[in-house]
Amino acid sequence: MVYRVIGLMSGSSLDGLDIAYVHLQERAQKDGWDFQLVQTECVPYTHAWRKRLAGATELSAREYVVLHADYGHWIGQEVGRFIAAHGLEYQVQLIASHGHTVFHAPGRRMTAQLGDGAAIAAETRINVVSDLRAMDVALGGQGAPIVPVGEGMLWREDVLLLNLGGIANVTRQGAAGGRPAGAGAERVAGGRPAGPAMERVAFDVAPANRVLNALAGDAGMVFDRDGLMAAAGQVDEGLLGRLNVLAYYGMGYPKSLANEFGLEEVLPLVRAAGLKTEDALRTYVEHLVEQIARAVEGLGFSGAPVRMLVTGGGAHNGFLIGRLRARLAELGVEVVVPEAAIVDYKEALVMALLGVLRWREENNVLASVTGASRDSIGGAVWIGQEV
């Protein structure tokens, strides 16, 4: 069966709403899924929407709930416009919306994503899956990263996967050096084994585009295009040392980051160094590359050749990718940047698959990744179709 689904993703970098209309079909041998990205679009946030989303943590409870509803209706309207623009009326079977993360405190068993699923369903009259992280967090998990189940089903050949979004996160699906893991296959959707045991782990590494974009903003730029400003700067060793010893980096996984870490701890530390923008960006790029390299080493890769698939907005930063390639080559890791559509819409595509798994009532969050008490079927379902 082919599932025709729209996946929605809003990242912490606040660049816009990613919309991906995809076709998904499980392989006959039950060892993964095939996909086709049919239509994609990023709807840039207006200044007003960026301001409302960025300021959500300061709202009263009443104001927050109003924003949750308003944003959900806006998402629904944008999806409706997308459907009309691409002639997709009566073709979309399901919408899977990640929402926009505002609060993330798994230690208190709480996570909150803006974008009311009921509002999306009401606007589109299409069934919606939302709140994909909530069940895992309620079970004591980190609720993040959320994409590894989808990565394992869509990109099984890549041992390492890195997403360079507002936050950088890494996934390992396989034993160190790319060797098959030992006996005891990991259970995935529907309770079926995922072939050879994958030993899949994933975690947030460090703030990425959210900090880089904020630093570029100090020079009046929305972002550092292709890393040209960073390339013109010099590394400040003192600042680099202070960044690299932040407590989060010494924690074991599973672990995840809230946006506040980048904006309230890391960014003030960088700005306090009083560097010119180019030097601040150059130093932060080096910090990010070093933390990714440490994460890879901690996962057991230090010489055996493997591939790392890199996606997310940061994959367009040529200077960052160049530094990453040079550093990870020392560990035998080849950095692979796929076609632009996968770079930009991988997470929206994965949301679509997670929504399908939820609709099929199959596990779509792994306890081995998040640290929850068990695997779970995450997501609230809103029936938008009329009977």
Side-chain angles (χ1 to χ4, degrees):
M1 176 179 178
V2 176
Y3 293 90
R4 296 169 172 83
V5 189
I6 284 179
L8 304 173
M9 183 70 196
S10 175
S12 58
S13 54
L14 283 171
D15 51 353
L17 175 69
D18 290 339
I19 306 176
Y21 173 59
V22 304
H23 290 175
L24 293 160
Q25 185 170 23
E26 189 175 22
R27 295 171 189 159
Q29 57 270 38
K30 308 294 186 183
D31 66 344
W33 288 67
D34 295 318
F35 69 88
Q36 180 185 2
L37 277 168
V38 182
Q39 298 288 349
T40 59
E41 182 180 337
C42 179
V43 183
Y45 288 130
T46 63
H47 174 74
W49 268 117
R50 192 177 294 111
K51 184 177 180 180
R52 289 189 74 183
L53 295 174
T57 57
E58 307 302 321
L59 299 178
S60 68
R62 177 187 175 89
E63 291 168 333
Y64 180 88
V65 173
V66 169
L67 176 57
H68 181 56
D70 286 351
Y71 183 56
H73 283 284
W74 178 82
I75 290 174
Q77 292 161 9
E78 288 299 322
V79 170
R81 181 197 53 76
F82 174 86
I83 288 172
H86 296 290
L88 301 176
E89 293 90 346
Y90 306 108
Q91 295 183 50
V92 181
Q93 299 165 311
L94 186 69
I95 297 169
S97 177
H98 175 273
H100 185 83
T101 299
V102 176
F103 299 105
H104 185 66
R108 303 185 68 179
R109 299 201 175 186
M110 183 276 286
T111 188
Q113 285 73 45
L114 285 169
D116 183 13
I120 300 172
E123 291 285 350
T124 61
R125 298 187 180 185
I126 297 171
N127 298 338
V128 172
V129 174
S130 64
D131 301 313
L132 288 158
R133 298 181 188 268
M135 186 66 190
D136 182 79
V137 173
L139 289 168
Q142 293 288 310
I146 198 172
V147 297
V149 167
E151 290 174 334
M153 294 179 178
L154 300 173
W155 295 282
R156 293 177 63 82
E157 70 279 6
D158 293 299
V159 175
L160 289 169
L161 301 102
L162 176 70
N163 178 61
L164 291 172
I167 295 170
N169 50 67
V170 67
T171 300
R172 183 195 75 193
Q173 46 184 25
R179 300 184 303 275
E186 181 179 317
R187 311 299 291 187
V188 294
R192 296 186 296 272
M198 298 298 289
E199 289 189 354
R200 188 177 294 115
V201 297
F203 55 92
D204 289 343
V205 176
N209 296 340
R210 194 72 189 270
V211 171
L212 291 171
N213 291 351
L215 292 173
D218 292 342
M221 306 293 289
V222 176
F223 61 95
D224 182 11
R225 185 176 296 278
D226 209 29
L228 294 178
M229 285 194 291
Q234 300 293 322
V235 174
D236 184 285
E237 296 293 343
L239 173 60
L240 182 62
R242 292 191 292 276
L243 288 168
N244 282 336
V245 297
L246 290 171
Y248 177 80
Y249 302 128
M251 295 170 56
Y253 54 82
K255 60 181 179 178
S256 62
L257 283 170
N259 289 331
E260 288 80 3
F261 179 74
L263 297 179
E264 298 177 7
E265 293 189 46
V266 173
L267 190 58
L269 184 61
V270 175
R271 285 175 171 159
L275 306 177
K276 64 180 183 179
T277 299
E278 290 83 358
D279 293 344
L281 284 164
R282 177 68 181 87
T283 302
Y284 197 76
V285 165
E286 203 64 22
H287 165 66
L288 181 56
V289 167
E290 181 58 30
Q291 290 308 318
I292 292 169
R294 290 184 186 183
V296 170
E297 287 185 292
L299 290 170
F301 297 92
S302 57
V306 296
R307 281 169 40 114
M308 172 185 272
L309 187 75
V310 182
T311 57
H316 293 300
N317 185 321
F319 180 69
L320 171 59
I321 293 299
R323 288 295 304 129
L324 194 61
R325 281 197 169 109
R327 180 67 177 87
L328 293 188
E330 301 170 11
L331 305 178
V333 176
E334 177 191 6
V335 171
V336 177
V337 178
E339 62 183 274
I342 301 300
V343 168
D344 293 334
Y345 295 99
K346 174 190 157 193
E347 288 192 300
L349 165 61
V350 171
M351 293 309 124
L353 178 55
L354 297 186
V356 169
L357 296 177
R358 171 62 184 90
W359 189 257
R360 286 160 54 120
E361 298 186 356
E362 298 177 358
N363 289 338
N364 59 3
V365 186
L366 298 178
S368 64
V369 170
T370 67
S373 59
R374 61 173 173 83
D375 295 347
S376 63
I377 303 170
V381 175
W382 309 91
I383 304 300
Q385 294 176 340
E386 296 183 49
V387 178

